Amino acid sequence: MTRRRTQRSTDGAPTLIDCDIHQRWKDESEVIQYLPDQYKDRGLQAPEILYDNVAEFSRRDAIPDDGSNPGSDIPKMKDQHLDEFGVDYAILTGNSYLNLTALPNDDYAAELAVASNKWAIDRWLSEGGPFVGSLLAAPQKPKRMAEMIRNLGQHPRVVQVVMPMAAQLPYGHEYYWPMYEAAEEMGLPIALHPYTEGHGVTRPPTGAGYPRTYFEWHTLLGTYAMGQLVSLVAEGVLPSFPDLDFVVVEGGLSWVPHFLWRMDKDWKALRAQVPYLEKPPSEYVKDQVRFTTQPIEEPDDPQHLLQILEMMNASETVMFASDYPHWDTDSPLYAIPPMPEEMEAGVMAGNAQELYGLPDDPASLPAK
Amino acid sequence: MKKRFEVCPAAELPPGERTITDLNGISVGVFNVDGEYYALKNDCPHQRAPLCMGKVTGTTSVEHTGAINWEDNGHILRCPWHGWEFDIETGRSVFNPNKVRARSFETTVEPADEEPTESEADCSSIPDECDCGSSADEPPVATYDVTVEDEMVVVYL
């Protein structure tokens, strides 16, 4: 095991790919201009988060000099994070308006998603450099989103689709399948990202219902991911779309071995309910689902986390993420436990490079 | 031997304010808490975030379930990443004060020195690393004196 190095690779393979960076607009008008005329007056409305975060939602040290939103200033992001740590690729996952996907007006929600994606392409992906990005999808409107995925997904720096972790129905439901068909066709993985749980038209934020605190909501992010994943497995999404990959972002990961073992055990007895599965459920997950590291668990003994990473075959299934510029950013240098060399190479860059099909040299990827 | 660094005139650092300065290659935050001056290394022992850029705030205690009190207002520094709370006076964390500590420095208010601060001061005794204390028996932090003389805020490290 070696001390982690983060340095930009210019002539070899990437050494650090950050799979969860939140870019933001300085002013809403940047995005509103992309909305259809009938929604321009309405602007960008989304349900506010229900819970108070005493640690503040964005990092104070990430506020640009002009006082604008953290994540809205490209030079600041490069100076403070991308160049500081030697990030070869920044996978942009959108900003906190993920909650637009919790709106009851499905048409407005879908057009908000389209507008914010057009903004992201024009404002950020056209920058080139380390930036590649995601198309936010509002799952209320699957056919419109499928059309959007086929259209905007042609941009060479669009590398995935992001759906909110919580929606009206579990994601295995056939209602959502038009989006999966489009994403598979375009070769784009689908990432699930938390924030919407309990908001708008989604389900309660925890299996126990509505807790009182951000502490409870944040601690249980992984459980919501479990609910979506078991649905994707049981309803046959993974076997039906064998070339489609999913990414669980910001759910932590130490629950994954438990989840896989539990599914495999139940499958032996209850297989008749899920005849879509032609092999143990854990194998679909290991083949088609990736997990990002942040917020990484921090046991007193880092070896315990390393054991869990081994149990979930992290060398091929786990990808580093920082969540910059949010309050629980993980440092590429200090957050991740010491790992064997091969696992570290996969987690810090290799798995993301393979999943997203990224060339060694970011400059060789067209920006338009 | 500790080196003396003049940070700024005391009048420029009123109660509730802070300044972050580089003292011989070490980023240090100097705080005025109710007229007293304190200095902490700008380096969180958790993941090495710029601790001193965090919010100066208070914290809570509880008398009984459902009755939460607000206390120590202005005495708590919250890391801008992850929100860990530290006592500005001691650098001790609130959640584990004996094991998880930010490095603190002695601070005073003293008259300005006729001689300029030595720029070549040797601060090599301050390791450029952080220890969250998970494996240490003793607190990993040495404390430093900070004073204000003739209205200069002075940090010793």
Side-chain angles (χ1 to χ4, degrees):
Chain A
M1 298 189 198
T2 54
R3 180 68 248 165
R4 183 158 299 108
R5 303 174 305 277
T6 60
Q7 56 199 22
R8 186 174 298 283
S9 168
T10 51
D11 51 6
T15 55
L16 181 58
I17 296 177
D18 189 337
C19 294
D20 190 22
I21 288 185
H22 294 283
Q23 87 280 20
R24 195 168 164 85
W25 44 77
K26 284 185 188 288
D27 189 280
E28 292 186 348
S29 63
E30 293 174 38
V31 180
I32 290 170
Q33 63 171 318
Y34 292 102
L35 278 173
D37 289 341
Q38 68 268 32
Y39 293 128
K40 282 196 168 113
D41 285 347
R42 187 167 174 181
L44 307 186
Q45 291 181 13
E48 293 289 330
I49 193 165
L50 293 169
Y51 298 108
D52 172 45
N53 178 352
V54 293
E56 304 179 277
F57 192 73
S58 287
R59 281 168 41 180
R60 286 197 163 209
D61 62 313
I63 298 171
D65 293 339
D66 63 5
S68 55
N69 297 318
S72 69
D73 188 82
I74 290 175
K76 174 84 176 178
M77 180 187 287
K78 284 185 173 172
D79 182 55
Q80 177 175 46
H81 187 76
L82 305 179
D83 294 345
E84 172 71 18
F85 294 113
V87 176
D88 295 292
Y89 281 103
I91 315 290
L92 301 176
T93 46
N95 73 7
S96 306
Y97 280 79
L98 202 67
N99 270 13
L100 60 87
T101 58
L103 288 161
N105 184 333
D106 57 353
D107 187 59
Y108 174 59
E111 296 310 323
L112 276 173
V114 172
S116 68
N117 292 330
K118 287 179 175 174
W119 164 81
I121 288 170
D122 288 351
R123 176 76 183 93
W124 288 83
L125 303 192
S126 298
E127 276 281 313
F131 297 121
V132 292
S134 316
L135 297 177
L136 175 59
Q140 302 97 311
K141 197 86 162 173
K143 288 179 182 168
R144 173 74 176 108
M145 293 295 97
E147 176 190 324
M148 175 193 76
I149 290 165
R150 291 189 173 95
N151 181 14
L152 300 182
Q154 294 175 30
H155 190 282
R157 284 181 178 255
V158 167
V159 297
Q160 73 179 354
V161 175
V162 167
M163 292 182 10
M165 194 75 88
Q168 288 169 284
L169 291 169
Y171 279 149
H173 198 287
E174 279 189 280
Y175 178 74
Y176 300 112
W177 286 29
M179 287 188 292
Y180 304 151
E181 290 167 10
E184 185 183 53
E185 183 184 312
M186 299 300 292
L188 299 173
I190 294 179
L192 306 180
H193 191 293
Y195 194 56
T196 44
E197 301 76 22
H199 296 87
V201 294
T202 71
R203 301 290 92 202
T206 79
Y210 283 82
R212 291 181 63 192
T213 60
Y214 189 100
F215 167 83
E216 292 161 89
W217 172 76
H218 193 263
T219 297
L220 295 176
L221 291 180
T223 63
Y224 224 110
M226 293 167 74
Q228 296 292 16
L229 279 185
V230 75
S231 174
L232 290 169
V233 171
E235 304 261 14
V237 173
L238 297 184
S240 300
F241 300 94
D243 295 325
L244 178 61
D245 295 306
F246 284 84
V247 184
V248 174
V249 182
E250 204 167 345
L253 39 71
S254 61
W255 48 269
V256 174
H258 150 85
F259 173 75
L260 299 180
W261 294 329
R262 180 63 51 190
M263 276 200 302
D264 283 357
K265 176 181 169 75
D266 280 346
W267 173 71
K268 289 166 190 163
L270 307 174
R271 190 218 54 80
Q273 289 186 341
V274 287
Y276 319 102
L277 305 181
E278 294 175 348
K279 55 186 179 182
S282 64
E283 293 189 24
Y284 291 100
V285 174
K286 284 180 178 170
D287 286 347
Q288 290 173 256
V289 181
R290 300 290 173 262
F291 301 87
T292 63
T293 54
Q294 186 275 341
I296 192 76
E297 289 86 352
E298 297 176 346
D300 288 341
D301 183 350
Q303 288 296 316
H304 293 166
L305 183 55
L306 180 60
Q307 288 173 11
I308 286 175
L309 290 167
E310 287 168 347
M311 291 171 198
M312 63 187 290
N313 190 26
S315 296
E316 295 176 8
T317 62
V318 173
M319 310 191 297
F320 175 78
S322 73
D323 198 29
Y324 177 92
H326 290 163
W327 71 284
D328 46 353
T329 296
D330 273 337
S331 163
L333 283 173
Y334 299 107
I336 309 299
M339 292 180 287
E341 202 165 316
E342 183 196 1
M343 182 186 290
E344 176 161 317
V347 168
M348 300 310 284
N351 295 337
Q353 183 179 17
E354 181 185 10
L355 179 72
Y356 297 120
L358 300 170
D360 281 352
D361 180 7
S364 69
L365 197 56
K368 303 284 183 188
Chain B
M1 179 175 160
K2 288 173 184 171
K3 295 290 182 183
R4 179 179 185 278
F5 293 90
E6 293 182 355
V7 174
C8 66
E12 292 180 8
L13 194 61
E17 295 294 312
R18 93 193 75 179
T19 185
I20 297 173
T21 186
D22 185 283
L23 300 182
N24 222 36
I26 296 175
S27 182
V28 174
V30 184
F31 298 79
N32 182 335
V33 180
D34 298 339
E36 301 290 327
Y37 295 86
Y38 304 98
L40 295 172
K41 194 178 179 197
N42 186 23
D43 195 356
C44 183
H46 175 215
Q47 288 189 19
R48 307 207 59 180
L51 172 65
C52 295
M53 297 180 77
K55 185 178 188 178
V56 175
T57 184
T59 191
T60 58
S61 65
V62 63
E63 285 180 23
H64 55 83
T65 302
I68 290 177
N69 298 320
W70 185 246
E71 61 188 23
D72 294 334
N73 197 39
H75 290 252
I76 301 296
L77 174 65
R78 189 184 279 288
C79 180
W81 304 17
H82 304 107
W84 288 19
E85 301 163 294
F86 294 88
D87 184 327
I88 296 172
E89 295 186 26
T90 63
R92 292 171 183 264
S93 67
V94 174
F95 76 89
N96 192 351
N98 291 325
K99 291 188 85 171
V100 179
R101 303 172 74 171
R103 190 172 190 117
S104 64
F105 303 106
E106 177 186 346
T107 309
T108 63
V109 177
E110 302 173 356
D113 199 339
E114 286 136 23
E115 299 295 321
T117 303
E118 293 178 60
S119 61
E120 69 278 16
D122 178 12
C123 296
S124 59
S125 61
I126 299 169
D128 182 31
E129 62 186 30
C130 273
D131 186 342
C132 69
S134 61
S135 60
D137 293 330
E138 295 296 322
V141 164
T143 59
Y144 297 82
D145 304 325
V146 185
T147 64
V148 184
E149 277 176 31
D150 199 12
E151 311 323 299
M152 286 299 289
V153 180
V154 173
V155 174
Y156 290 90
L157 71 163

